[in-house]
Amino acid sequence: MTRFGDLTRTEREQVEALLRDCHLLPAGRDTELLFVRDGPRVIGCVGFEVYGPHGLLRSLAVDPCRRRSGHGRGLIRAALAALSACNVDDVWLLTHDCGPLFAEFGFEPSPREHVPRQLATSAEFVADECRRASCMRLSMTA
Ligand SMILES: CC(C)(COP(=O)(O)OP(=O)(O)OC[C@H]1O[C@@H](n2cnc3c(N)ncnc32)[C@H](O)[C@@H]1OP(=O)(O)O)[C@@H](O)C(=O)NCCC(=O)NCCS
């Protein structure tokens, strides 16, 4: 797990390219990132941020040539384990079309009005590109 701002230049460039190719927002300086690598190459990543008792899962991306091999689910599992270690009460995310994938992990649709204030002002939630995305929440205490 590495903060985006602490990555080496090569790693940063690879993550930036992966997120760009997947049409996702760039990671923030303080986004914690987990990777799947093939040798020196980053072929998948997921990010998370912690806002007090709330977690945000974001920046889930797998190289198009390496999909459908379980990397996506593995990254989600790893991010949830890391967030659980941060003792968050719940985890939130925004997605355009991966709702069914996240539902497998217990995420449920949630109205945007229910998003905690700390999260609602985060870069992901205020981004224009995410205006139409669906919001989901996973309780970590249930
Ligand atoms: C979502 C993503 C990370 C999944 O990676 P992956 O390595 O293929 O994941 P897995 O192999 O663990 O399988 C993922 C499952 O999600 C499903 N899935 C992946 N992308 C999907 C999409 N755009 N819409 C609906 N379902 C999708 C797949 O059908 C697969 O289900 P299956 O095993 O029943 O066929 C990858 O498709 C990706 O990078 N997409 C572009 C970026 C993106 O949309 N990220 C999510 C932002 S919220």
Side-chain angles (χ1 to χ4, degrees), residues 60-62 67-73 94-95 97-98 101-102:
L60 172 67
V62 171
R67 289 182 188 166
R68 297 282 169 97
S69 300
H71 294 313
R73 287 189 178 95
L94 290 173
T95 182
D97 49 16
C98 291
L101 174 60
F102 291 115

Side-chain angles (χ1 to χ4, degrees), residues 36-52:
V36 179
R37 297 175 199 268
D38 183 359
R41 219 165 71 78
V42 172
I43 59 162
C45 69
V46 68
F48 69 89
E49 295 166 10
V50 174
Y51 297 85

Side-chain angles (χ1 to χ4, degrees), residues 53-55 87-91 137-142:
H54 309 292
N87 289 318
V88 295
D89 292 342
D90 51 18
V91 178
R137 173 183 181 269
L138 171 67
S139 170
M140 300 293 271
T141 56

Side-chain angles (χ1 to χ4, degrees), residues 1-4 7 11 14-16 18-19 22 24-28 30-37 42-49 55-63 70-83 91-94 98 101-102 105 107 124:
M1 174 169 64
T2 318
R3 271 178 1 126
F4 181 72
L7 297 179
E11 288 171 331
Q14 290 186 32
V15 170
E16 281 169 349
L18 182 59
L19 295 177
C22 291
L24 298 179
L25 289 182
D30 293 327
T31 307
E32 299 279 359
L33 286 165
L34 301 165
F35 303 105
V36 179
R37 297 175 199 268
V42 172
I43 59 162
C45 69
V46 68
F48 69 89
E49 295 166 10
L56 170 67
L57 194 155
R58 56 170 297 181
S59 309
L60 172 67
V62 171
D63 181 322
H71 294 313
R73 287 189 178 95
L75 284 163
I76 296 171
R77 254 191 304 278
L80 291 178
L83 281 161
V91 178
W92 296 77
L93 61 81
L94 290 173
C98 291
L101 174 60
F102 291 115
F105 293 84
F107 279 90
E124 175 110 341

